[in-house]
Amino acid sequence: MLNPAIQKFLSLKGTNQKVICLTAYDYPSAKLIEESGAIDMILVGDSLGMMIQGQPDTTHVKLEHMVYHTEMVRRGAPDSFVLGDLPIHTYDTPEQTIDSAKRLLAAGADAVKLEGGTEVLPQLQALQMAEIPTVGHLGMLPQRAVIEGGYSIKGKTPQQADTLIQDCLSIRELNLLAVVLECVTPPVASQMHDIFKDTQTITIGIGSGNTCDGEISVWHDLMGAYPWFVPPFAAPKADLTTAIKQALLEYKSS
Ligand code: KIV
């Protein structure tokens, strides 16, 4: 039986309402999100490796970091749908996946997310068997960016497009809660979205055009709070960098 926060999220599928998702890593941001009533799902993303820890990528994030931040977010947003990210090498086998997922659930996550398609099918099936609500992540996979030599848009070649479609077909039957489609060319993202049309799975895009059921942003990109790297698809709605620098100078001169 899915909890009310997840049920509310799933009920958005098939409505014309865009499913709006955002990352959060701490208590105040999570509390503001919940108080706003604007966000349908909060992801405690392993993007905290860059956004909070100052690492160059997500591969330095450990499960204990995710547990720590998931606890903070849950404290700030007790009634929201909170999704916890499984960091790299915490889901190398089905058994390890279940153990790691249970730690995030115990920290307050309602569901877990992991990166990959066909190659992590045994892990996804194990989560399904254990009745752990799960979200997939296809397209550009940040945990692989280091071995792939950088971040790149996926779906540009016919071979990449075929692999992505195949990944969707293999996970389709699992009826995941959602699947994040990150940095996929808009035509391929649209085909991927269509594969999940008759399932409960909500497609959530980031840098993948606008055909998905929902959209996810990183807190710092939305708030203009990480000026050192701004992804091309980011659409900031605030400029915290300028506001904070201004406040610091005013404090000094006051
Ligand atoms: O870690 C993260 O923030 C993510 C989103 C970019 C989808 O996985």
Side-chain angles (χ1 to χ4, degrees):
M1 183 65 175
L2 296 169
N3 74 26
I6 295 181
Q7 283 180 27
K8 190 170 168 211
F9 171 80
L10 288 178
S11 72
L12 297 170
K13 171 102 179 186
T15 65
N16 280 333
Q17 197 183 319
K18 199 89 172 166
V19 182
I20 302 299
C21 311
L22 186 60
T23 68
Y25 315 105
D26 59 21
Y27 173 85
S29 55
K31 198 164 175 62
L32 287 169
I33 287 174
E34 186 156 299
E35 285 177 4
S36 77
I39 304 300
D40 302 307
M41 182 267 277
I42 303 176
L43 169 65
V44 187
D46 65 353
S47 50
L48 67 82
M50 290 89 85
M51 298 301 155
I52 303 294
Q53 298 177 334
Q55 298 286 4
D57 53 67
T58 62
T59 63
H60 306 264
V61 178
K62 307 280 180 242
L63 190 60
E64 50 268 33
H65 302 150
M66 297 308 303
V67 165
Y68 180 64
H69 286 276
T70 301
E71 285 171 351
M72 295 178 204
V73 168
R74 175 52 80 199
R75 230 171 274 136
D79 298 324
S80 296
F81 173 24
V82 172
L83 175 63
D85 231 354
L86 288 171
I88 191 166
H89 297 317
T90 65
Y91 53 97
D92 289 342
T93 64
E95 296 72 26
Q96 188 196 22
T97 307
I98 300 300
D99 289 347
S100 304
K102 284 184 174 167
R103 286 195 56 198
L104 289 190
L105 296 186
D110 295 305
V112 299
K113 172 168 86 61
L114 77 178
E115 296 183 7
T118 313
E119 72 284 12
V120 291
L121 202 52
Q123 286 88 325
L124 291 168
Q125 284 163 338
L127 288 163
Q128 189 186 40
M129 288 285 289
E131 297 185 8
I132 295 177
T134 303
V135 170
H137 188 153
L138 299 174
M140 199 282 289
L141 305 178
Q143 292 173 8
R144 308 248 175 101
V146 178
I147 46 171
E148 287 181 359
Y151 299 94
S152 61
I153 307 225
K154 301 295 177 187
K156 282 185 169 169
T157 65
Q159 196 194 352
Q160 275 181 3
D162 280 356
T163 305
L164 290 169
I165 298 297
Q166 205 45 58
D167 281 338
C168 292
L169 292 170
S170 16
I171 65 172
R172 183 182 189 280
E173 302 313 319
L174 295 174
N175 235 2
L176 300 176
L177 299 181
V179 61
V180 171
L181 307 183
E182 180 161 2
C183 294
V184 178
T185 59
V188 176
S190 168
Q191 287 178 53
M192 293 168 81
H193 165 75
D194 286 349
I195 291 172
F196 294 100
K197 248 185 185 154
D198 299 326
T199 70
Q200 74 167 353
T201 307
I202 291 177
T203 57
I204 302 171
I206 174 162
S208 300
N210 59 7
T211 51
C212 288
D213 301 309
E215 190 67 24
I216 187 159
S217 296
V218 165
W219 171 272
H220 295 72
D221 295 342
L222 192 75
M223 299 301 166
Y226 196 92
W228 309 282
F229 173 72
V230 181
F233 51 81
K237 303 287 181 228
D239 182 4
L240 292 196
T241 299
T242 304
I244 290 169
K245 284 188 175 167
Q246 185 71 38
L248 292 170
L249 293 173
E250 278 179 31
Y251 178 42
K252 182 176 168 59
S253 61
S254 61

